[in-house]
Amino acid sequence: MAALSGAVYARLRDEIVAGAVAPGAKLMPQRLALRYAASAAAIREALIRLAAEGFIENLPQRGFRAARTGPDVIWEIAHFRILIETEGARLSIARGGMEWEANLTAAHHRLAHLESRMRGESLDAGQLRLWSASDRAFHEALIGTCGSARLLAQHRLAFDQFKQHVIALDPTLGFRGAELLQEHAGILKAALARDAEGCADALRRHFDTYRRVTPGRAG
Amino acid sequence: MAALSGAVYARLRDEIVAGAVAPGAKLMPQRLALRYAASAAAIREALIRLAAEGFIENLPQRGFRAARTGPDVIWEIAHFRILIETEGARLSIARGGMEWEANLTAAHHRLAHLESRMRGESLDAGQLRLWSASDRAFHEALIGTCGSARLLAQHRLAFDQFKQHVIALDPTLGFRGAELLQEHAGILKAALARDAEGCADALRRHFDTYRRVTPGRAG
DNA sequence: ATAGGCCGGAATTTCGAAATTCGAAAGAAT
DNA sequence: ATTCTTTCGAATTTCGAAATTCCGGCCTAT
């Protein structure tokens, strides 16, 4: 996208994923035009792109609003992300070399360092943002050499939308220090051991604890 | 999307998926504005949406062009579609009831009828279009009760983009009558037998023959 | 002859306003 | 009192033109 429209897209995306926009809230081009110093048309282009990617909804002739959330929406996104991520991990395990191992280990080291220092207290927004970025870096490193740009792009969307919906229900993102440490360690261990099935299992358990936060559903 | 912009989106999408736009061809809003009786801005909105969905590319400050194709692109999309479709089938097999079986059987009946009548000769565009629609209906029926709107939406994108890229290399879509009949029958049989693994295998074989058309690649 | 800079035309992107459409409140009829 | 119609303000959508950026040919200097 171009300079202006693309910049608005990026800023809006960040705000939505960070939980700064309430689910279902209207996003009106003319209002946003003031906040972003752009014309309504440019804002509109950003909104169309966000809608196509699933961050917001677009009802014809009645504007845009932030995606509505709910347990089943979260469940659906989690399911999709598991599907993408386990496949990406499987491919990376099959294709990855030493470089992949090194990147993954480094990402895990940074993440584990943070998680061990965040023992429940001091869950300020800054730390959570840092942790979320490290979490994402680790999961992206896991699937980093899957060889499919499409898979990586879909994973990025699923990751951010998962965060978007979880943060709406729980601003702490269901952060649970000790458990997270063990879960991520388990994922890393299975990946380095080239155990695709074990890695998939570890990922599913990782998500199950997230799902426990929200009321479940059959499926 | 709105009336005009949405209509342009739909028409452009159809033309691209039908192979009417050469890969890499430029899509210029002002030119298209004449063909579609709309302003450049409205065209632009349609193009932005198509780009976000992956049908076309959008290089900042240098416009839109139809997605470039190649064996590895096709391979990647095929891989992704297999992933989505096998998972959708697995879920449908687990959750689907009589209604799902009936829809799937009906879709297969229509598809098989067409395929048995299209023995190599008379591969005119009309028949191929009809067959492609039936093929899509069958595959959508297969995953129809997976319970995830996201999975269905992703499958639709993957299906159409797969067609878009294959048709660019081979206008007959690699149509192979007798084999197709058996492959689709195998998929149906496994699905009705509630054999998720067998269904996944049948789907993979189904795609392998497609892949044979194009030069392979490691992965 | 070639590399590098410059200029002209065309395409992309952005804007502000006009036209269309929606949603709700006020009013009329049953 | 309820339901249907009308009307009006606000929001969405579309447009045509202005501003910015890119691409190619041309010129110049080495």
Side-chain angles (χ1 to χ4, degrees), chain B residues 26 28 30-31 44 61:
Chain B
K26 289 212 66 172
M28 295 186 283
Q30 294 203 348
R31 303 289 178 81
R44 186 160 225 276
Q61 304 289 21

Side-chain angles (χ1 to χ4, degrees), chain B residues 12-13 15-17 19-28 32 47 50-51 54-59 62-70 73 161 164-165 168:
Chain B
L12 265 174
R13 189 190 206 274
E15 293 189 12
I16 290 171
V17 173
V21 181
K26 289 212 66 172
L27 296 166
M28 295 186 283
L32 297 169
L47 292 174
L50 287 168
F55 292 97
I56 68 180
E57 300 172 19
N58 177 20
L59 300 100
R62 84 191 53 167
F64 303 86
R65 47 180 67 241
R68 279 164 306 200
T69 192
V73 174
Q161 286 176 28
Q164 169 191 0
H165 288 274

Side-chain angles (χ1 to χ4, degrees), chain B residues 199-217:
Chain B
C199 190
D201 286 340
L203 282 169
R204 278 187 283 268
R205 282 195 300 274
H206 186 43
F207 275 85
D208 273 336
T209 51
Y210 265 118
R211 266 190 246 159
R212 226 181 288 142
V213 176
T214 74
R217 129 180 153 172

Side-chain angles (χ1 to χ4, degrees), chain A residues 14 16 34 44 58 80 89 96 148 156 163 173 203 207:
Chain A
D14 282 348
I16 291 171
L34 302 174
R44 186 160 226 276
N58 177 21
F80 187 77
S148 170
R156 183 180 317 238
K163 180 180 173 188
L173 289 170
L203 282 170
F207 275 85

Side-chain angles (χ1 to χ4, degrees), chain A residues 175-214:
Chain A
F175 186 87
R176 49 196 198 292
E179 290 181 45
L180 278 175
L181 254 171
Q182 294 194 345
E183 289 168 15
H184 284 140
I187 294 168
L188 174 70
K189 185 180 174 188
L192 292 181
R194 308 283 169 163
D195 177 8
E197 265 318 301
C199 189
D201 286 339
L203 282 170
R204 278 187 284 268
R205 282 196 300 275
H206 186 43
F207 275 85
D208 273 336
T209 52
Y210 265 117
R211 268 190 246 161
R212 228 181 286 141
V213 176
T214 74

